[in-house]
Amino acid sequence: MRDPLIGTRINRYEIRESVHKSDLIGIYKAYDTKLERYVLIKTIIHSSDYSKEAVDFFLAESKSLAKLAHPNIAKALDFGYENGNLYLISEYIPGNPLSDLMNHPMPWQNAINILIPLTNALVYAHSRGIIHRDLKPDNIIINTDDQPILSDFSLMRIIEEE
């Protein structure tokens, strides 16, 4: 079944392909027509049904995420609420999720080279009052420089509270 968002736009972002979709969220690779680059767009499904408080919470959390600046955290670039769609734009990180590397043993040196930068990224985020809420191998991208990048900070509290 074809995803109805593919081929549409939210703000200046052309939705090109689905990366992940659940009953609650959709994550898509999109093209930023203004800056001419690929980005990830996370949409909250049925966000038009949420209360004003939930929308305000999402926007405030997104603003907090956009202030994070760490080399091992994917940057939040934009966010908004348009035509009933809550969305968060983050940088697109070419690479593979850590989960792809976990189907065979990994030398401990490689594991340390992943864990130390991730730990530093989490300490940095926590020092700014941000908790990831969905830390798992699928949300850690090993980029083309073999650096781990923490992605997809969860904003699920809005959905859970609604």
Side-chain angles (χ1 to χ4, degrees):
M1 178 180 205
R2 189 176 188 289
D3 189 314
L5 281 182
I6 294 176
T8 65
R9 286 173 71 133
I10 295 178
N11 198 324
R12 68 184 199 227
Y13 307 100
E14 294 176 353
I15 298 174
R16 299 282 175 94
E17 64 185 74
S18 177
V19 173
H20 172 78
K21 190 165 183 184
S22 70
D23 292 339
L24 303 174
I25 63 163
I27 300 175
Y28 300 91
K29 184 177 178 183
Y31 187 72
D32 181 339
T33 59
K34 184 175 182 179
L35 298 178
E36 298 180 341
R37 65 181 174 185
Y38 284 100
V39 296
L40 284 183
I41 182 168
K42 178 188 250 186
T43 62
I44 308 296
I45 298 171
H46 307 297
S47 48
S48 60
D49 298 336
Y50 290 128
S51 66
K52 180 182 179 333
E53 293 78 20
V55 170
D56 290 346
F57 174 79
F58 177 90
L59 297 174
E61 287 285 294
S62 296
K63 186 181 284 188
S64 294
L65 287 177
K67 292 177 182 176
L68 293 179
H70 190 278
N72 298 99
I73 296 176
K75 293 171 185 56
L77 304 171
D78 194 8
F79 58 91
Y81 186 57
E82 181 178 294
N83 299 323
N85 290 307
L86 283 168
Y87 64 91
L88 174 67
I89 306 296
S90 62
E91 69 179 317
Y92 173 74
I93 308 289
N96 295 305
L98 178 59
S99 56
D100 286 359
L101 302 175
M102 296 179 66
N103 20 353
H104 53 80
M106 176 186 296
W108 67 267
Q109 296 91 339
N110 293 11
I112 292 295
N113 289 334
I114 292 170
L115 290 173
I116 289 175
L118 286 176
T119 301
N120 291 335
L122 288 168
V123 167
Y124 170 83
H126 291 178
S127 74
R128 279 143 183 86
I130 305 288
I131 298 172
H132 192 283
R133 295 190 186 110
D134 195 21
L135 188 58
K136 60 185 179 185
D138 285 338
N139 291 338
I140 299 165
I141 305 299
I142 306 301
N143 71 12
T144 54
D145 294 328
D146 287 328
Q147 290 298 305
I149 308 296
L150 190 54
S151 68
D152 197 18
F153 276 76
S154 181
L155 298 172
M156 296 303 285
R157 193 171 117 202
I158 171 183
I159 295 167
E160 292 164 0
E161 289 181 0
E162 284 289 295

